[in-house]
């Protein structure tokens, strides 16, 4: 068992942080890599990108939004309990390079994935502006951490309850128009990554995105996570999860993410009904 | 002898009872239900106890076939399983999934004029009998050599190496990327051909002998080969299989409803999605299912789809029945269960709807032309023969290649142009010192027992290295 040593609820309880004992993974993991977790014997394998690793302590941190049965099940796990299986580190690490001015854009729980990459880019000497967004103030996560990981943090909320009133893309346009940006890193919901990529493509700014397709094994043996990048089929678990944002077929990715929509909805409803009855 | 031969010839092979096709096509229970003691002894009595048994030469791991069969006739079932274990740590598996017709049974002398002795069924009987009634007593082990061996991959070849080396006194650790050991035995071969409880039992047998099995360890990501040497391992065996799915590379391949056989079978078998929603992993249910390819993996996929409630399941294959690579028995089982064969048919394009879901595929009729490099007649399209097959689920079972995850992080090991590890065919030695390889990662996708044979050869060579030197 992979024991949970620390747990926090964020974003009005919809987002949960778990710090998990996994010394071998903590020793090896680099920003951008992910793990696959399985809660129990009947559980499914779920990929989550690591938000933090602590090699000295031998722990990794994941942050997830409760969206279905498995994440609802994860949320029930208390400190001292744990996951039956944690596999990793998987995927290719982010290619960190000193390029000059960088903008990191995060939406929703994508901010958790963006955090170690942002810090990594700052640590090697880039000038990092960070733009993070949420639907409202209560759903915003990791504001303090992102502030520390960058030189300049801009916050947006869809409803204007905090920071800039509007989307991260509005702020991104302003930054791109006023500064000589060399690289944009965008991690969040697919529509957000798609919108960011469209904006940066028009301005010809290199853009990195981290994709989140459905995965089973995470080691390249099934192709469930295949995505089209530059008209070629890639397996996100081994070729990614990060790709050139200008080459990704986002519409296909969105359709593929909905493949099990009905099953997921029913499974979650059944689980909540049973849990609430107890 | 002549008299006995005469007697054996006249005697029919004892058939193993099976579930009725109509019943079994909708459940996941094992199809053949196994011999009774009487059936096993009747069948065992058909063996001529040859002085120079050809059957043994046909077995890639050299099981003493007349020896264990004689024990069955004597009613010494414990003796029979101990005899088997001395050459094969996975008899319950091999008795079920080996293509005996082209191995041991293909050489059986009784088979020249009648049906060969049912060696596979008898091997299975011994393993099942031991599991259900046995003493659990383990075979003897050599004294500890103090040498540490890492086995990468817990499929048939890795488990064979582990079983052989633990008996020879080495300290063995198996690293498995999945959360359960067994490789293709747990994720690939379906429950109705090989119950997972039986695989777990054979793995447990190895653990009881002292093999340490570490799951969730992705060698190449969690740890590299060089790091394993730094950690004190004296030798490494690579048995990571051929876990890279091939697709057709035709338009529409990423529509929802098109899965590699690896994904489909992993969901069904390893994740037990056939029990969904009792387990959490879903599996797509098709009404009209097409399986591309005609090997054993294609048969397994088609029969799984039927059991999951499909209305129709079609096997689409570009060559003719004679070229189908699956075992005859598997094709027969599939057809009995209502699976249709669409032979000399090649898909050219997938069709989808606005939700990006598969609705059908365009195919071309083929005819056989001149033989190609493989010696098989090359299928050539018939002009103007385009037609459409409606389907909402397509499982692609056209083969698999070498997964580069481990090899790409081991630059000092030679690979061939397909990405397979280059290894000495007799010993399994790779070009990297202290590293052996065998099974599908060397040969490309082949059979369970060939992988086990490769494991046996490598284990012998590794033992020589550990006791004598490179």
């Amino acid at each position: 068992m992979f024991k949970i040593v620390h747990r926090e609820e964020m974003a009005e309880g919809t987002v949960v942080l778990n710090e998990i004992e996994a010394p071998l993974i903590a020793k090896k993991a680099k920003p951008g890599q992910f793990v696959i977790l399985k809660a129990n014997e009947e559980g499914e394998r779920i990929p989550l990108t690591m938000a933090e690793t602590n090699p000295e302590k031998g722990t990794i941190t994941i942050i997830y939004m409760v969206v279905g049965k498995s994440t609802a099940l994860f949320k029930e796990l208390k400190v001292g309990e744990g996951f039956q299986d944690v596999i990793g580190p998987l995927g290719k690490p982010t290619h960190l390079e000193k390029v000059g001015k960088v903008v990191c854009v995060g939406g929703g729980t994508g901010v958790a994935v963006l955090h170690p990459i942002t810090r990594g880019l700052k640590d090697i000497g880039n000038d990092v502006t960070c733009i993070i967004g949420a639907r409202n103030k209560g759903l915003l996560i990791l504001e303090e951490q992102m502030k520390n990981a960058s030189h300049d943090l801009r916050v947006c909320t869809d409803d204007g309850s905090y920071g800039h009133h509007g989307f991260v893309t509005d702020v991104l346009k302003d930054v791109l128009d006023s500064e000589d940006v060399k690289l944009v890193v965008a991690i969040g919901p697919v529509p957000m990554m798609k919108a960011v990529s469209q904006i940066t493509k028009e301005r010809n700014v290199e853009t990195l995105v981290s994709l989140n397709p459905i995965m089973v094994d995470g080691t390249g043996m099934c192709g469930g996570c295949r995505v089209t990048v530059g008209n070629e089929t890639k397996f996100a678990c081994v070729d990614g999860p990060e790709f050139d944002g200008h080459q990704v077929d986002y519409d296909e990715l969105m359709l593929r993410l909905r493949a099990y929509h009905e099953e997921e909805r029913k499974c979650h409803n059944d689980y909540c009904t049973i849990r609430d009855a107890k | 002898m002549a008299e006995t031969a005469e007697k054996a010839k006249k005697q029919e092979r004892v058939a193993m009872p099976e579930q009725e096709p109509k019943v079994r096509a909708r459940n996941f229970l094992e199809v053949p239900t196994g011999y009774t003691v009487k059936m096993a002894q009747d069948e065992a009595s058909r063996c001529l106890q040859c002085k120079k048994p050809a059957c043994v030469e046909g077995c890639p791991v050299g099981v003493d076939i007349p020896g264990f069969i004689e024990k069955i006739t004597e009613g010494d079932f414990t003796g029979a399983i101990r005899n088997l274990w001395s050459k094969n740590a996975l008899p319950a598996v091999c008795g079920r999934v080996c293509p005996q017709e082209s191995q041991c049974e293909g050489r059986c002398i009784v088979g020249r004029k009648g049906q060969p002795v049912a060696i596979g069924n008898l091997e299975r009987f011994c393993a099942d009998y031991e599991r259900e009634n046995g003493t659990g007593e383990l075979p003897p082990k050599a004294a500890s050599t103090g040498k540490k061996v890492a086995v990468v991959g817990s499929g048939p070849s890795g488990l064979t190496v582990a079983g052989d080396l633990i008996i020879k006194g080495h300290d063995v650790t198996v690293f498995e990327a999945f959360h359960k050991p067994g490789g293709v035995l747990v994720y690939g071969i379906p429950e109705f051909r090989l119950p997972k409880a039986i695989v777990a039992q054979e793995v447990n047998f190895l653990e009881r002998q002292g093999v340490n099995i570490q799951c969730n360890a992705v060698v190449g990501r969690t740890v590299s080969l060089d790091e394993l040497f730094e950690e004190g391992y004296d030798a490494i065996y690579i048995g990571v299989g051929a876990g890279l799915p091939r697709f057709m590379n035709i338009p529409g391949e990423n529509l929802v409803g098109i899965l590699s056989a690896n994904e489909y079978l992993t969901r069904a078998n390893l994740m037990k999605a056939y029990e969904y929603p009792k387990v959490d992993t879903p599996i797509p249910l098709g009404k009209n299912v097409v399986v591309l390819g005609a090997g054993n993996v294609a048969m397994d996929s088609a029969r799984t789809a039927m059991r999951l409630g499909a209305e129709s399941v079609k096997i689409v294959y570009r060559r003719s029945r004679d070229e189908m690579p699956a075992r005859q028995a598997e094709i027969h089982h599939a057809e009995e269960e209502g699976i249709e064969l669409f032979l000399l048919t090649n898909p050219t394009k997938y069709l989808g709807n606005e939700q990006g879901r598969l609705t059908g595929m365009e195919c071309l009729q083929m005819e056989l032309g001149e033989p190609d490099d493989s010696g098989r007649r090359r299928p050539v399209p018939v002009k103007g023969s385009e037609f459409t097959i409606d389907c909402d689920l397509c499982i692609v079972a056209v083969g698999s290649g070498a997964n580069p995850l481990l090899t790409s992080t081991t630059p000092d090991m030679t690979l061939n142009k397909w990405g397979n590890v280059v290894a000495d065919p007799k010993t399994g030695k790779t070009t990297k010192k202290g590293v052996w390889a065998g099974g599908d990662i060397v040969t490309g996708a082949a059979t369970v027992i060939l992988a086990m044979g490769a494991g046996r050869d490598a284990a012998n060579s590794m033992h020589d290295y550990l006791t004598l030197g490179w």
Side-chain angles (χ1 to χ4, degrees):
Chain A
M1 191 188 70
F2 295 79
K3 210 159 80 178
I4 296 171
V5 295
H6 175 69
R7 181 183 180 283
E8 278 175 42
E9 286 188 16
M10 319 160 107
E12 299 166 356
T14 62
V15 174
V16 180
L17 176 151
N18 283 155
E19 187 181 351
I20 306 163
E21 244 173 34
L24 294 175
I25 301 172
K27 199 171 95 183
K28 198 85 181 201
K30 294 197 172 65
Q33 289 191 300
F34 66 95
V35 289
I36 284 203
L37 305 102
K38 184 166 149 303
N40 55 31
E41 186 60 31
E42 293 78 34
E44 61 178 335
R45 294 167 64 103
I46 296 287
L48 284 169
T49 303
M50 287 170 274
E52 188 89 59
T53 56
N54 188 334
E56 289 78 37
K57 216 173 146 193
T59 61
I60 61 167
T61 300
I62 52 160
I63 295 176
Y64 52 89
M65 187 184 289
V66 178
V67 289
K69 176 177 174 182
S70 288
T71 41
L73 191 66
F74 288 5
K75 188 185 172 180
E76 304 273 303
L77 296 172
K78 300 179 185 74
V79 170
E81 298 176 338
F83 294 84
Q84 189 175 70
D85 299 288
V86 181
I87 302 109
L90 298 169
K92 285 188 179 156
T94 309
H95 176 67
L96 297 172
E97 202 183 342
K98 187 174 173 183
V99 291
K101 179 77 197 176
V102 176
V103 182
C104 294
V105 189
T109 48
V111 176
V113 179
L114 191 65
H115 176 239
I117 298 168
T118 309
R119 202 179 45 203
L121 285 165
K122 186 186 173 196
D123 286 350
I124 57 171
N126 289 290
D127 176 13
V128 183
T129 292
C130 190
I131 309 167
I132 60 173
R135 281 209 307 279
N136 60 54
K137 189 183 179 202
L139 295 176
L140 198 69
I141 63 167
L142 300 180
E143 187 188 358
E144 197 55 36
Q145 287 89 334
M146 291 310 283
K147 201 172 176 180
N148 294 332
S150 58
H151 297 96
D152 174 20
L153 175 71
R154 320 274 181 96
V155 179
C156 323
T157 50
D158 296 359
D159 67 353
S161 52
Y162 187 61
H164 171 82
H165 184 172
F167 295 134
V168 286
T169 42
D170 306 335
V171 181
L172 174 65
K173 277 186 199 161
D174 291 345
V175 178
L176 290 173
D177 289 342
S178 59
E179 294 186 65
D180 182 22
V181 176
K182 298 293 183 201
L183 172 72
V184 171
V185 182
I187 305 177
V190 181
M192 177 216 122
M193 291 191 287
K194 182 183 175 184
V196 166
S197 297
Q198 269 166 355
I199 291 163
T200 58
K201 195 170 185 178
E202 286 160 12
R203 293 163 171 81
N204 209 14
V205 180
E206 194 188 328
T207 301
L208 205 61
V209 294
S210 179
L211 303 186
N212 56 340
I214 293 172
M215 287 187 190
V216 183
D217 62 291
T219 61
M221 67 151 287
C222 87
C225 66
R226 59 197 194 275
V227 287
T228 303
V229 181
N231 295 318
E232 268 184 67
T233 293
K234 300 278 184 191
F235 290 2
C237 72
V238 287
D239 300 320
E242 285 166 17
F243 293 100
D244 174 355
H246 298 159
Q247 303 287 327
V248 172
D249 184 339
Y250 294 101
D251 296 336
E252 180 189 272
L253 173 63
M254 275 188 264
L255 291 172
R256 289 184 63 81
L257 278 167
R258 290 178 60 83
Y260 297 94
H261 188 66
E262 275 309 303
E263 290 90 340
E264 286 161 355
R265 200 180 49 83
K266 187 176 180 312
C267 200
H268 190 201
N269 288 348
D270 290 352
Y271 175 73
C272 294
T273 312
I274 294 166
R275 182 194 55 192
D276 297 343
K278 275 180 188 170
Chain B
M1 182 80 184
E3 196 189 319
T4 343
E6 196 60 24
K7 192 181 151 205
K9 198 173 63 185
K10 280 178 187 161
Q11 221 173 18
E12 287 272 320
R13 167 188 235 189
V14 179
M16 186 177 280
E18 286 182 350
Q19 283 194 71
E20 286 297 316
K22 272 194 181 142
V23 177
R24 72 178 193 238
R26 298 299 186 189
N27 71 45
F28 277 84
L29 301 175
E30 201 174 4
V31 172
T33 51
Y35 277 162
T36 61
V37 169
K38 172 149 194 324
M39 287 174 185
Q41 289 197 305
D42 285 350
E43 181 59 26
S45 70
R46 294 178 67 231
C47 174
L48 303 182
Q49 292 294 320
C50 301
K51 288 279 174 292
K52 284 185 189 162
C55 56
V56 178
E57 289 165 28
C59 173
V61 293
V63 163
D64 168 20
I65 293 163
F68 94 79
I69 290 183
E70 190 173 28
K71 297 280 184 200
I72 298 177
T73 57
E74 290 166 0
D76 177 10
F77 306 126
T78 304
I81 191 68
R82 287 172 69 80
N83 181 314
L84 274 162
W85 274 343
S86 69
K87 290 285 186 181
N88 183 359
L90 311 170
V93 170
C94 289
R96 286 171 166 84
V97 305
C98 277
Q100 286 99 3
E101 66 276 11
S102 57
Q103 294 174 333
C104 55
E105 293 178 17
R107 307 279 194 94
C108 172
I109 197 147
V110 180
R112 287 197 197 159
K113 288 189 173 169
Q115 292 170 300
V117 174
I119 300 165
N121 289 352
L122 290 173
E123 180 179 30
R124 173 188 158 154
F125 167 79
C126 294
D128 291 355
Y129 187 90
E130 168 67 22
R131 192 176 59 253
E132 285 151 20
N133 313 290
T135 60
E137 193 190 334
L138 295 171
K141 245 167 84 171
S144 172
T145 60
K147 300 286 185 182
K148 279 177 73 180
V149 178
V151 174
V152 185
S154 68
S157 85
L159 292 179
T160 302
V161 170
D164 281 12
L165 292 181
I166 199 82
I167 283 188
K168 293 180 196 291
H170 307 292
D171 178 355
V172 183
T173 301
V174 178
F175 295 90
E176 168 55 46
F178 267 135
H179 57 272
K180 276 204 172 86
V184 75
L185 308 176
V186 292
Y187 79 75
I189 302 175
E191 184 77 15
F192 55 84
R193 279 219 290 138
L194 179 64
K196 301 308 146 217
I198 285 169
V199 179
Q201 178 80 18
E202 304 234 298
V203 172
N204 178 258
F205 164 72
L206 292 172
E207 287 184 294
R208 284 199 297 136
Q209 282 185 302
V211 174
N212 173 20
I213 297 182
Q214 283 191 19
C215 288
N216 300 329
V218 188
V219 177
R221 292 269 198 236
T222 314
V223 65
S224 70
L225 291 189
D226 288 328
E227 285 165 337
L228 287 175
F229 282 125
E230 283 162 27
E231 283 175 26
Y233 288 95
D234 299 290
I236 300 175
Y237 177 77
I238 302 173
V240 294
L244 183 76
R246 288 209 186 99
F247 287 92
M248 296 284 293
N249 295 318
I250 56 176
E253 199 126 53
N254 292 345
L255 287 164
V256 171
I258 303 168
L259 284 80
S260 72
N262 271 3
E263 179 180 357
Y264 188 68
L265 293 174
T266 298
R267 285 178 181 273
N269 302 327
L270 177 74
M271 306 312 295
K272 295 211 179 299
Y274 65 88
E275 292 184 353
Y276 180 89
K278 233 177 83 187
V279 300
D280 296 342
T281 305
I283 189 163
L285 304 175
K287 275 202 177 87
N288 297 302
V289 182
V290 166
V291 177
L292 302 177
N296 291 320
V297 174
M299 299 304 137
D300 287 344
S301 303
R303 296 175 70 194
T304 298
M306 188 56 97
R307 282 160 173 77
L308 286 169
E311 284 170 15
S312 85
V313 181
K314 300 178 178 73
I315 300 246
V316 169
Y317 181 49
R318 65 196 179 116
R319 298 181 198 254
S320 72
R321 183 183 280 267
D322 290 345
E323 289 87 22
M324 288 174 76
R327 285 180 74 188
Q328 281 304 319
E330 299 306 322
I331 300 170
H332 177 68
H333 274 140
E335 284 194 291
E336 275 187 335
E337 290 165 14
I339 288 152
E340 303 164 78
L341 302 185
F342 272 56
L343 301 171
L344 289 164
T345 303
N346 202 28
T348 51
K349 187 185 174 185
Y350 296 103
L351 307 169
N353 63 17
E354 280 172 4
Q355 286 81 47
R357 288 183 181 263
L358 179 71
T359 57
M361 60 178 70
E362 270 179 26
C363 297
L364 274 176
Q365 209 66 59
M366 309 295 273
E367 60 188 7
L368 290 180
E370 294 301 309
D372 64 11
D373 297 345
S374 73
R376 298 185 296 181
R377 291 178 65 193
R378 185 194 301 273
V380 250
V382 177
K383 271 207 182 100
S385 66
E386 292 85 353
F387 68 104
T388 303
I389 298 177
D390 289 339
C391 64
D392 51 0
L393 179 63
C394 175
I395 299 147
V396 186
V398 296
S400 55
N403 187 324
L405 196 76
L406 181 149
T407 51
S408 65
T409 55
T410 315
D412 54 341
M413 188 168 64
T414 308
L415 308 179
N416 69 15
K417 62 175 172 175
W418 297 286
N420 293 106
V421 174
V422 173
D424 184 298
K426 285 206 181 70
T427 62
K429 270 186 188 175
T430 71
T431 54
K432 185 173 167 71
K433 192 176 179 226
V435 180
W436 282 255
D440 288 1
I441 187 62
V442 172
T443 58
T447 61
V448 167
I449 190 68
L450 282 177
M452 292 179 60
R456 166 66 39 82
D457 293 340
N460 288 334
S461 171
M462 291 170 86
H463 179 66
D464 289 348
Y465 168 72
L466 293 167
T467 51
L468 305 168
W470 182 254

